[in-house]
Amino acid sequence: MNDSFANQSRPIAGRRAWLGLIAVAGLLGAAPLLLRRVRGESSGPGLSLHARPRALPDLRFADGKGRALHLSDFRGRVVLLNVWATWCPPCRKEMPTLDHLQGTLGGPDFEVVALSIDRDGLALVQGFFKSFGIKNLRLYIDSFDEASASLVGAGVPLTLLIDRDGREIGRKLGPAVWDDAPTLQLIRGAMAVASKPAQAKTR
């Protein structure tokens, strides 16, 4: 091999090495997605979407007037159930995006249910909403400790996407931006799915 050919081959070998590294990096980056597909799950905006809907307990909690409610009272609409607390910094950070999501899509077909697990109850959450300018979310308190007992063992914030039949179709542990375009698209897609004959109870 002459020196001229050797000098020309070095850049080619270098490019091949870089291409090899890029290919390996691509495979490593795709690994989590492939793993989710093997498990029958896919990734949605801020949520891990389940391959099949999952049953949920019919949680009891109270609204801002102290009235007892059940999760089944929301049947017939899509629900984003966000379990949170005022003492949780990530919860506080994401709350304005949940408020904006409710203001954008909230209505007879969808509601953000921001369920506080604060022990000090209603007055504390009312003060938080006022301080942070939360205007669209309703007040919900885990007065019966049922969400605390059955859902939040791994921590808060915990967010569940629930279909019109009261089944969990996705969840996210940790904070997220809930009012961005991909999330709005995801929730609108869930809203477009027709429910079974059961209707939401009037509140």
Side-chain angles (χ1 to χ4, degrees):
M1 180 184 297
N2 60 40
D3 292 341
S4 176
F5 182 81
N7 290 336
Q8 291 176 7
S9 67
R10 288 192 187 103
I12 295 173
R15 284 196 295 272
R16 286 176 177 169
W18 277 110
L19 289 171
L21 288 173
I22 291 170
V24 171
L27 289 172
L28 290 175
L33 177 59
L34 294 172
L35 182 59
R36 283 194 296 268
R37 287 178 177 174
V38 169
R39 291 174 176 170
E41 298 182 349
S42 62
S43 178
L47 289 158
S48 176
L49 301 178
H50 309 317
R52 296 174 181 171
R54 299 176 181 178
L56 283 171
D58 193 14
L59 301 174
R60 288 184 303 162
F61 48 93
D63 66 8
K65 297 181 180 179
R67 297 179 301 184
L69 297 174
H70 288 81
L71 193 57
S72 59
D73 292 330
F74 296 84
R75 291 280 178 89
R77 73 184 70 179
V78 174
V79 169
L80 192 74
L81 175 64
N82 177 262
V83 185
W84 70 288
T86 60
W87 43 260
C88 162
C91 302
R92 297 162 70 95
K93 183 177 180 179
E94 72 175 358
M95 192 58 59
T97 71
L98 289 163
D99 186 56
H100 187 228
L101 173 61
Q102 174 64 21
T104 303
L105 295 183
D109 289 322
F110 174 73
E111 183 167 351
V112 176
V113 176
L115 180 58
S116 166
I117 60 171
D118 283 281
R119 296 291 183 181
D120 292 334
L122 185 59
L124 180 63
V125 178
Q126 285 175 328
F128 174 87
F129 275 20
K130 184 176 180 179
S131 297
F132 278 72
I134 305 300
K135 300 177 180 178
N136 300 304
L137 296 174
R138 293 188 174 100
L139 286 161
Y140 296 112
I141 308 293
D142 186 29
S143 300
F144 302 95
D145 292 330
E146 293 191 3
S148 300
S150 61
L151 293 179
V152 301
V156 291
L158 174 67
T159 307
L160 277 56
L161 182 61
I162 301 170
D163 70 10
R164 294 179 184 271
D165 300 311
R167 302 171 303 178
E168 179 185 331
I169 56 177
R171 73 167 50 197
K172 163 74 174 177
L173 177 61
V177 176
W178 295 106
D179 58 349
D180 61 3
T183 302
L184 293 175
Q185 182 180 9
L186 174 68
I187 293 175
R188 285 191 175 107
M191 291 166 62
V193 177
S195 66
K196 293 178 181 179
Q199 298 296 318
K201 300 178 183 178
T202 56
R203 295 185 290 118

